[in-house]
Amino acid sequence: HVLRMDVIDVGHGDATVLRLPDGRIIVIDAGTEAAGRQRVLPFLRHQGINVVDALILTHPDNDHIGGAVPLLEQMPVRLLLTNGAADDTMTFLRIARLKEKKGIPHRVLRRGMRIASESGVIVEVLHPPADWVAGAEPGSNDNALVLRVSLGTQNALLCADIEEAGIPIMLRQPIHWKANVLKVPHHGSRLGAAGDRLLAAVQPELAIISVGWLHHLPARQTLQALERARCPVLLTRDVGWIRLETDGRKWYRPIEGIR
């Protein structure tokens, strides 16, 4: 009875695969289109995954949704979940056409919603709010979906690309923020005081940064903040694909990452 979380090395971008104890598959973002074809699809096939039960796209940035194009083209997807933000990029339009062509149901996620599995896994939507973040475009980083995935006493907070405007609004919610695993926002970008507040609230035991070699990331300030918090950190560009598993009592790494 194990929840598996794989953070795939997609270079600069994001792609996470959840395998629930009942075998259902949730894919959260899929990197760029090239990464989708060269990393995400081959990973899924290597793992014997032939159907994606839910594809969650956190926001319309190309390094998060580009890989959805080959995924939707080449693998059955039973449900598409997004933050509801529209975009006029070619990638977004291709995803919309594929969704219509294949008759894939689409649902919009908002803060307060949750996906509960009979296997005990709960995926909570902690951001964005129903009325978006004031002053931020709906498709912006600050309105990206932030998800908390839990089984038993263990959880992981997946922060997508939320930034300095969105973090304080997210943290206003009167909930218990502590998380065992933190997927660091926006590829380890500099987040200033908002990032410090997030770390203080979450108090993670392990941090993961999905990052390549672009934009001089992760920011030195972010790495220093994690060091001050005495939180070990794993970078996909250094260790490759990162697999974590939990039985609801603890998280562990059953294998080392493979590049």
Side-chain angles (χ1 to χ4, degrees):
H1 193 76
V2 166
L3 166 66
R4 176 182 294 169
M5 181 172 75
D6 288 303
V7 180
I8 304 174
D9 176 19
V10 291
H12 181 80
D14 248 319
T16 302
V17 179
L18 304 178
R19 185 191 289 267
L20 277 54
D22 59 13
R24 282 189 282 182
I25 302 297
I26 299 174
V27 176
I28 305 168
D29 290 330
T32 61
E33 183 170 349
R37 294 189 191 282
Q38 298 165 14
R39 299 288 181 94
V40 180
L41 270 172
F43 174 85
L44 294 173
R45 289 173 175 147
H46 181 264
Q47 297 298 311
I49 296 169
N50 300 309
V51 176
V52 172
D53 294 282
L55 172 60
I56 302 176
L57 301 178
T58 60
H59 64 303
D61 278 5
N62 189 59
D63 60 321
H64 291 250
I65 69 168
V69 172
L71 192 60
L72 290 165
E73 286 175 342
Q74 299 184 42
M75 191 169 287
V77 174
R78 290 182 171 149
L79 179 63
L80 179 64
L81 300 165
T82 72
N83 71 346
D87 203 343
D88 59 0
T89 63
M90 184 57 68
T91 298
F92 185 88
L93 296 173
R94 289 167 73 195
I95 290 169
R97 284 198 292 266
L98 284 163
K99 176 190 72 173
E100 294 300 322
K101 177 183 176 183
K102 294 175 178 286
I104 301 169
H106 173 218
R107 303 286 182 268
V108 173
L109 297 178
R110 277 292 185 277
R111 184 173 71 193
M113 294 181 178
R114 58 166 49 191
I115 303 165
S117 162
E118 292 180 1
S119 61
V121 174
I122 298 172
V123 180
E124 301 170 83
V125 184
L126 302 182
H127 191 79
D131 54 356
W132 306 108
V133 172
E137 290 295 320
S140 70
N141 289 340
D142 279 306
N143 281 307
L145 291 168
V146 176
L147 308 169
R148 181 163 60 187
V149 183
S150 306
L151 177 64
T153 64
Q154 303 300 295
N155 58 57
L157 183 63
L158 312 181
C159 288
D161 276 4
I162 193 170
E163 293 186 292
E164 289 171 276
I167 289 172
I169 290 168
M170 181 179 75
L171 291 178
R172 286 178 197 161
Q173 298 171 76
I175 61 177
H176 185 63
W177 280 99
K178 192 171 184 337
N180 309 98
V181 179
L182 173 67
K183 194 152 171 296
V184 176
H186 202 202
H187 320 291
S189 292
R190 182 185 174 107
L191 295 172
D196 292 337
R197 285 181 60 189
L198 180 67
L199 277 180
V202 174
Q203 299 175 47
E205 299 159 22
L206 175 67
I208 294 174
I209 302 179
S210 181
V211 67
W213 295 98
L214 297 179
H215 312 304
H216 305 288
L217 294 174
R220 181 182 300 177
Q221 182 207 49
T222 298
L223 293 177
Q224 289 173 341
L226 288 164
E227 187 175 354
R228 287 195 302 273
R230 297 183 180 178
C231 179
V233 59
L234 298 173
L235 275 59
T236 53
R237 77 165 180 221
D238 292 340
V239 301
W241 142 52
I242 298 166
R243 170 168 291 176
L244 297 179
E245 293 183 350
T246 181
D247 55 7
R249 294 185 291 269
K250 66 176 182 177
W251 286 95
Y252 53 96
R253 288 184 74 192
I255 54 174
E256 293 297 310
I258 298 174
R259 297 210 56 83

